Amino acid sequence: RLNPRHLAKFWFSMDGLKMLGKILGVALLLLVLAGIGTYFYFRNELKSLQPSELAKRVQTTVTKYYDRNGQLLWEDKGNGDYKLVVDGNQISDYVKKATIAVEDRDFYNHHGISLAGISRAFLSNSQGNAVQGGSTLTQQLVKQAFFEKSEIEKRGLDGVPRKIKEVILSIEVERMYNKDQILNLYLNEASYGGRRNGVESAARTYFQKPAKDLTLAESALLAGIPNSPGLYDPYYVPGNSALIARQHKVLDSMVEMNYITKEQANEAKQDAILDTVRPKAE
C-alpha cells in the first residue's frame, strides 16, 4: 500500500518534479495537437465561406427608384431586414468610438478573438445556456454575415461547433482586412432594432439624418442598441428606460476610454434624446 508520506516526498523531490514536468509537457502537447486538429477540421469545412467575400455580403438591400430628373420617388425595403451601406468616412467618429468603448475596448489590439471571452462562452455553453460570451466586434460581424439565425440560436453544446467556426473565420478576417475596414463593415451590418441593419439605416430612420451628422448623444444611443436590438429598439416603449440607461453606460465607457470628457458625457445625458426620435414609419 502506498504511503502518503512517501508519495508526497517523491513529488516534492527532484525526480518527482521532473516526472510532473514530463506529464504536464505531454498534456500540453496533446492539447496543442487537439487544437490544431480542430482548427484544420473546421477550416476545411468552412471552405464555402470565404472571408475575402465578406465585403460583398455587406451590401445595400434597399432598391431606390428615381424620376427622369433624378428625384427619388420610392424606396423598396422589401419584407425582411434591410440596410443602407456607406463608406467609413460617411459615419460619425462618435459612432465608431462609442461602439468600440461599449462593445470591444481592446478592438485595436486583439487579432479577432478574446481568449477570456472564449473561455466564458465555453463555460456558459457547457452549462446549457445560450451560446454567448465576450465576442469581439470581428466575431460579431462574422456571426451576422455568415451564419443563419437558426444556427446562431443553438444552445448548449450544440452551439459549440458554430462558435469554433466563428473563431476561425474571425482570425481569417483579421488577416484579410484592416481594423478600420472591419469596424466599418460591422457598423454597416449590425442590427439597430426592428428591420433596420446598419448605422446609416438607423440614423435616417430615427433622426432623419445621415450617419456622418450624428451628434454625441445620438451616436451613444445607437451604439448601445446592437447588444440587444429587441429590448433597446427606440420604438419599443417598455424598453425606453433600459435604452437610456444603456446610452448612459456608453457615454461613461467613452469617458473611461478618454474619447470624450466627463463634461461632454454629462451634457449628452441631459439631452432629451427620445423626444427627437422620428415617429415610427417602416
Side-chain angles (χ1 to χ4, degrees), residues 26-248:
V26 171
L28 181 60
L29 177 61
L30 291 175
L31 184 62
V32 170
L33 290 175
I36 293 174
T38 301
Y39 177 88
F40 281 102
Y41 173 81
F42 283 104
R43 189 173 187 271
N44 185 63
E45 185 179 329
L46 289 168
K47 282 184 178 179
S48 61
L49 302 179
Q50 298 294 329
S52 59
E53 300 292 307
L54 177 59
K56 294 181 181 179
R57 289 174 175 259
V58 184
Q59 296 289 336
T60 293
T61 60
V62 176
T63 302
K64 296 185 178 184
Y65 297 90
Y66 299 87
D67 64 16
R68 67 177 62 186
N69 297 315
Q71 296 296 313
L72 180 65
L73 296 174
W74 178 47
E75 287 186 341
D76 182 3
K77 297 177 180 177
N79 297 319
D81 295 343
Y82 66 89
K83 59 192 169 202
L84 296 170
V85 174
V86 295
D87 292 335
N89 59 13
Q90 296 300 303
I91 300 175
S92 166
D93 281 342
Y94 282 140
V95 174
K96 297 176 182 178
K97 291 176 178 178
T99 299
I100 290 172
V102 76
E103 291 288 347
D104 188 359
R105 293 189 179 194
D106 204 36
F107 176 67
Y108 283 106
N109 297 317
H110 63 62
H111 298 289
I113 61 173
S114 165
L115 295 180
I118 292 174
S119 298
R120 287 195 301 272
F122 273 93
L123 178 61
S124 176
N125 297 340
S126 66
Q127 295 174 342
N129 300 323
V131 178
Q132 56 86 26
S135 295
T136 64
L137 286 179
T138 310
Q139 286 177 263
Q140 293 178 49
L141 170 61
V142 163
K143 180 171 63 177
Q144 294 160 0
F146 286 109
F147 296 104
E148 299 294 333
K149 184 177 181 181
S150 59
E151 191 167 8
I152 294 173
E153 291 179 343
K154 287 183 178 179
R155 295 175 178 272
L157 294 177
D158 289 340
V160 171
R162 193 272 300 166
K163 196 69 180 180
I164 293 175
K165 297 174 191 177
E166 177 188 305
V167 167
I168 294 170
L169 282 172
S170 297
I171 294 172
E172 295 293 318
V173 165
E174 289 267 346
R175 291 177 53 243
M176 297 180 180
Y177 300 86
N178 65 44
K179 289 292 187 178
D180 289 340
Q181 289 174 318
I182 292 171
L183 178 58
N184 293 336
L185 287 168
Y186 171 84
L187 291 172
N188 277 305
E189 181 68 20
S191 175
Y192 288 90
R195 297 171 54 205
R196 296 158 288 279
N197 283 12
V199 69
E200 180 74 8
S201 305
R204 291 186 179 277
T205 297
Y206 300 133
F207 302 116
Q208 293 183 281
K209 62 173 65 173
K212 66 181 178 66
D213 294 335
L214 290 169
T215 66
L216 173 58
E218 293 165 347
S219 297
L221 187 85
L222 294 186
I225 295 175
N227 179 263
S228 184
L231 174 62
Y232 298 135
D233 185 337
Y235 294 137
Y236 177 57
V237 177
N240 280 357
S241 60
L243 175 56
I244 292 301
R246 178 71 174 169
Q247 182 215 31
H248 289 186

